[in-house]
Amino acid sequence: PKIITDPFEVSNQTSAVLSCNLTESSLPIKGSHWLHNGKLIEDSKSTEATPFTVLRLDKITHSSGGKYECVFLTEPEVKQTIEVKTLPHVSAYKHSEHGNEMDKGVIVCVSHSYPLPTDWTWFKEEDGTQMPIFNGTSDKYEIKSTPNKTTLTINNLSIENDIGDYICSGTSEFGTRSDKIHLRVRSRLAALWPFLGIVAEVIILVTIIFIYEKRRKPDEVNDDDDSGSAPL
C-alpha cells in the first residue's frame, strides 16, 4: 500500500488542509483517523470505508506544530506523516524573578514550537543596548540549554550590577523569537525584617505586661492595708 500526502510538509503557514490518499491497496478499510504528535485527534475519527481522509487546520499556532499522521484502519494499519513546522516560540518561565544579594539567580526560558530552537542566546539590557552574555567567559554566568529549555545562572548576585532586564532568544530554521525577564535583587538583610518585626512585637508585649503587673501590685498592697485597719 502507498499513501500520497498533500502537502508533503507545511512550513510557516497560518492555516492548512492536510490530506491522505491510500493507493495501490486491496486491503479492506474499516475507517481512519489522525494523530498529532502521537495523540488521537478525536474529531478526526471516521468509520467510512474510504481511501481518502482530510484534516483542516484553520489556525496554526506554535501548539499546532508537530507531526500529523493519517492512519487507515486496515490489517495491518497503514499510516503516513505530514510535518507542520512553525516559527519558534520562546517564553520566559517567569517574567519577573528575584534573588538575594550574594546568592545565585536563576532565570529560565522554554519553547514548545516545532521544530524546537537549534540555538539559544542570552542578553542583558544596559542603557537601551542588548549586551550578549556568553557561557564560560567568567565565573559570573552559567548557561545550560536543551532544544526546549535554556537556563541562565547568575552567581554572586549584586544589587548594583545585576538588577535589570534579561532577554532570551531562540533560533530555528524559520527565524528567531525572544522574551524578556526582569530580575530583582534583594538585600541580604531584607529577609531579616519580618523576623525583627516579630521580635519587636514580642518585646513590646512583654514590656506592656511587665508595666501593668508593676502598677497592679502596689494597688493590691494598699487594698490589703486598708482592710487590715478597718474598725472592729
Side-chain angles (χ1 to χ4, degrees), residues 74-199:
T74 57
E75 292 292 342
E77 287 186 351
V78 183
K79 56 186 177 181
Q80 188 58 271
T81 300
I82 301 176
E83 290 186 296
V84 176
K85 298 181 178 181
T86 65
L87 290 170
H89 173 261
V90 172
S91 176
Y93 185 71
K94 291 182 180 179
H95 286 96
S96 179
E97 281 283 8
H98 67 269
N100 294 323
E101 189 179 19
M102 300 178 67
D103 285 344
K104 287 184 177 182
V106 180
I107 51 181
V108 179
C109 285
V110 296
S111 176
H112 302 290
S113 53
Y114 183 88
L116 290 167
T118 54
D119 186 46
W120 288 98
T121 51
W122 284 92
F123 303 88
K124 184 178 188 296
E125 280 194 350
E126 294 183 3
D127 300 324
T129 302
Q130 294 184 6
M131 304 297 294
I133 298 173
F134 299 105
N135 200 15
T137 54
S138 69
D139 295 333
K140 183 68 174 176
Y141 301 108
E142 297 176 29
I143 299 174
K144 295 182 179 180
S145 300
T146 60
N148 68 331
K149 179 180 178 181
T150 181
T151 302
L152 172 64
T153 301
I154 306 168
N155 296 310
N156 194 23
L157 285 173
S158 164
I159 293 177
E160 292 78 15
N161 300 321
D162 297 325
I163 291 176
D165 292 327
Y166 292 79
I167 298 169
C168 58
S169 292
T171 302
S172 74
E173 59 186 287
F174 295 104
T176 300
R177 288 291 183 270
S178 304
D179 205 1
K180 184 181 293 188
I181 303 165
H182 183 72
L183 177 65
R184 296 170 294 164
V185 180
R186 298 181 300 189
S187 168
R188 291 180 66 86
L189 296 176
L192 293 176
W193 289 122
F195 172 75
L196 294 177
I198 294 173
V199 172

Side-chain angles (χ1 to χ4, degrees), residues 2-59:
K2 180 181 180 181
I3 296 178
I4 300 174
T5 61
D6 183 33
F8 171 75
E9 182 182 281
V10 176
S11 298
N12 193 19
Q13 296 183 19
T14 57
S15 63
V17 177
L18 313 182
S19 67
C20 289
N21 188 11
L22 178 61
T23 63
E24 302 177 13
S25 174
S26 58
L27 297 174
I29 301 172
K30 299 180 181 179
S32 63
H33 59 255
W34 288 80
L35 304 176
H36 178 214
N37 294 330
K39 295 182 179 180
L40 175 64
I41 302 174
E42 290 290 341
D43 295 342
S44 71
K45 294 169 67 174
S46 172
T47 56
E48 295 183 11
T50 173
F52 186 76
T53 181
V54 173
L55 180 68
R56 298 182 181 276
L57 303 178
D58 295 325
K59 184 178 181 180

